[in-house]
């Protein structure tokens, strides 16, 4: 019998039962994240009505102008997660240092890194935004985790997910046994399994890249995009479509549903700090999901989930999506 229609709460608990020594901590943490994302969905949907859209007048550690919702959604994540006893510490795109669990609250065995509202530049133009999260184990017997405890390769993730606040609110989740998509049923306030076992088509004719950076790209990316633009008259012998939403959650969800390539490659802009996207709470969780759905996620030169992180807000180039297409791009990088 299909699992479609099953609630995310039931799904999480049944997944837990697949692991014999499970303590239920992960299930508890995931349910806390689900509650936070439901609250964020509500706030995003009402932002214009209750006056929390627009800019906050401040900058984050990234030097990016913060939206009011960047700060509010960060607080929602922290307030939903810092008291439940499942986490040892948190890291957020919006906060420079790691976030400790309050001394009077119980600690748990997991670490979480999150981007509370990815793509927030889209808030005021009513395009999709989302929350991305990555869950790691905290090394044993650590009373107060430090940045060093977050410096784990993406292969060490025990769970990754994102919630996309679009025409529908969807939660996409992996714990290493495939990728499942849940749609928020607002009438009952529960995420319902609508997209079980999501798999990325191995081939595609659709790429997503910010073309305004073209003059800054390295040769392999220039070559790949040029060939796509030549279409059926060129070596690819087929025409390509292009999308760019400027919201990674929307791009990755599209890739999960119909295939494609999403690229934010290295460029030689003076302001570039090794890439645009952040490793711990954007590239790694999305890479875990993409690989679990049969795709590939690379910098062009190496598998993203193999990178040894060196800092919380470290940036990396990202090329992810349909297996055969990413392999072609990787081959172009190898030839360089
Ligand atoms: P650009 C959003 O700020 C983000 O981190 C990703 O979600 C998105 O893919 C990218 O940056 C958009 O970057 O340079 O096109 O605004």
């Amino acid at each position: 019998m299909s699992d479609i229609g099953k609630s995310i709460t039931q799904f999480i608990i049944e997944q837990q039962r697949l692991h014999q020594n499970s303590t239920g901590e992960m299930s508890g943490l995931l349910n806390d994240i689900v509650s936070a994302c439901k609250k964020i969905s509500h706030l995003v949907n009402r932002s214009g009505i209750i006056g929390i859209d627009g800019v906050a007048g401040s900058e984050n550690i990234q030097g990016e102008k913060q939206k009011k919702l960047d700060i509010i959604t960060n607080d929602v994540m922290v307030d939903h997660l810092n008291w439940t006893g499942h986490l040892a510490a948190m890291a957020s795109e919006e906060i420079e240092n790691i976030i400790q669990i309050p001394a009077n609250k119980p600690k748990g065995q997991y670490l979480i890194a999150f981007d509370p509202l990815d793509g927030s530049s889209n808030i005021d133009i009513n395009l999709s935004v989302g929350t991305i999260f990555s869950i790691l184990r905290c090394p044993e017997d650590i009373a107060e985790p430090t940045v060093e405890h977050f410096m784990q390769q993406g292969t060490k993730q025990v769970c990754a997910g994102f919630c996309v606040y679009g025409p529908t609110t969807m939660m996409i989740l992996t714990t290493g046994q495939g990728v499942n998509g849940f749609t928020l049923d607002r009438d009952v306030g529960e995420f319902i399994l609508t997209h079980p076992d999501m798999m990325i088509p191995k081939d595609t004719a659709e790429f997503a890249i910010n073309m305004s950076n073209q003059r800054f790209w390295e040769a392999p990316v220039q070559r790949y995009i040029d060939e796509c633009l030549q279409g059926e008259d060129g070596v690819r012998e087929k025409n390509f479509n292009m999308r760019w939403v400027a919201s990674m959650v929307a791009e990755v969800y599209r890739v999960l549903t119909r295939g494609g390539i999403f690229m934010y490659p290295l460029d030689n802009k003076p302001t570039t700090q090794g890439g645009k996207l952040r490793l711990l709470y954007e590239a790694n969780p999305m890479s875990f999901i993409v690989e679990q759905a049969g795709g590939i996620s690379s910098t062009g030169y190496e598998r993203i989930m193999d990178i040894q992180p060196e800092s919380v807000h470290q940036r990396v180039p990202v090329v992810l999506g349909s297996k055969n297409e990413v392999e072609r791009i990787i081959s172009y990088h190898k030839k360089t």
Side-chain angles (χ1 to χ4, degrees):
M1 185 188 119
S2 166
D3 282 347
I4 289 179
K6 186 177 289 185
S7 75
I8 197 167
T9 307
Q10 179 181 352
F11 181 88
I12 289 169
I13 290 169
E14 289 180 346
Q15 284 275 311
Q16 170 194 325
R17 290 177 184 152
L18 300 177
H19 303 275
Q20 283 169 355
N21 306 324
S22 174
T23 63
E25 281 245 9
M26 172 61 75
S27 297
L29 174 56
L30 286 176
N31 280 311
D32 299 339
I33 295 167
V34 166
S35 299
C37 290
K38 283 194 269 190
K39 176 70 178 285
I40 292 172
S41 176
H42 172 76
L43 291 170
V44 165
N45 278 209
R46 291 180 55 78
S47 57
I49 297 167
I50 57 180
I52 56 174
D53 52 352
V55 293
S58 54
E59 282 190 357
N60 64 13
I61 167 61
Q62 328 281 343
E64 297 162 341
K65 287 189 175 28
Q66 287 179 304
K67 299 285 188 174
K68 291 176 192 166
L69 274 171
D70 283 323
I71 298 169
I72 292 168
T73 55
N74 182 72
D75 293 346
V76 168
M77 288 294 281
V78 173
D79 294 346
H80 275 74
L81 300 177
N82 74 350
W83 59 273
T84 57
H86 303 306
L87 289 173
M90 306 181 219
S92 167
E93 178 190 23
E94 299 304 325
I95 306 294
E96 181 172 3
N97 301 310
I98 61 171
I99 303 164
Q100 297 295 344
I101 301 300
N104 63 342
K105 305 294 181 190
K107 284 192 175 65
Q109 60 182 294
Y110 295 108
L111 301 171
I112 191 171
F114 58 79
D115 180 354
L117 203 64
D118 178 65
S120 57
S121 59
N122 284 325
I123 282 285
D124 298 343
I125 56 172
N126 197 27
L127 286 179
S128 298
V129 292
T131 301
I132 310 173
F133 59 91
S134 168
I135 299 174
L136 299 161
R137 286 192 193 290
C138 183
E140 297 289 328
D141 305 330
I142 300 293
E144 190 147 310
T146 66
V147 169
E148 287 319 303
H149 299 113
F150 283 84
M151 299 298 102
Q152 300 181 42
Q153 290 169 299
T155 47
K156 299 286 195 293
Q157 294 174 98
V158 291
C159 172
F162 65 91
C163 197
V164 49
Y165 313 111
T168 66
T169 287
M170 290 206 67
M171 175 73 78
I172 308 300
L173 207 50
T174 186
T175 56
Q177 279 84 36
V179 176
N180 291 281
F182 303 82
T183 302
L184 180 61
D185 182 341
R186 295 187 188 283
D187 293 341
V188 297
E190 177 68 283
F191 282 99
I192 305 299
L193 181 62
T194 50
H195 296 68
D197 301 321
M198 299 184 86
M199 291 301 286
I200 299 173
K202 296 208 177 332
D203 292 298
T204 184
E206 187 165 71
F207 65 91
I209 195 166
N210 183 336
M211 288 295 289
S212 69
N213 297 324
Q214 184 167 24
R215 64 190 183 282
F216 300 115
W217 297 334
E218 295 183 311
V221 176
Q222 298 277 7
R223 174 184 174 189
Y224 174 74
I225 297 296
D226 283 348
E227 290 177 354
C228 289
L229 296 175
Q230 289 162 23
E232 57 191 11
D233 303 331
V235 295
R236 302 302 308 276
E237 297 180 324
K238 66 179 181 179
N239 294 325
F240 280 74
N241 189 24
M242 194 204 114
R243 288 284 183 275
W244 189 249
V245 185
S247 179
M248 190 181 192
V249 290
E251 317 277 10
V252 172
Y253 184 72
R254 184 186 59 249
V255 168
L256 282 168
T257 51
R258 69 186 194 204
I261 286 281
F262 166 77
M263 303 171 80
Y264 213 109
L266 195 60
D267 60 44
N268 57 21
K269 272 190 283 194
T271 55
T272 289
Q273 308 155 50
K276 164 85 190 256
L277 302 175
R278 277 58 58 135
L279 177 60
L280 256 60
Y281 42 79
E282 288 173 331
N284 266 342
M286 290 308 204
S287 297
F288 191 12
I289 289 166
V290 164
E291 290 196 5
Q292 283 289 311
I296 293 180
S297 184
S298 169
T299 64
Y301 299 101
E302 62 178 315
R303 182 190 183 202
I304 283 179
M305 290 215 291
D306 287 341
I307 296 173
Q308 175 55 51
E310 294 170 1
S311 65
V312 172
H313 301 292
Q314 174 178 346
R315 296 167 185 262
V316 291
V318 175
V319 178
L320 63 78
S322 293
K323 180 175 181 295
N324 296 340
E325 208 64 19
V326 177
E327 283 177 345
R328 172 185 287 268
I329 296 167
I330 291 169
S331 71
Y332 291 1
H333 282 76
K334 283 190 176 136
K335 291 191 180 102
T336 303

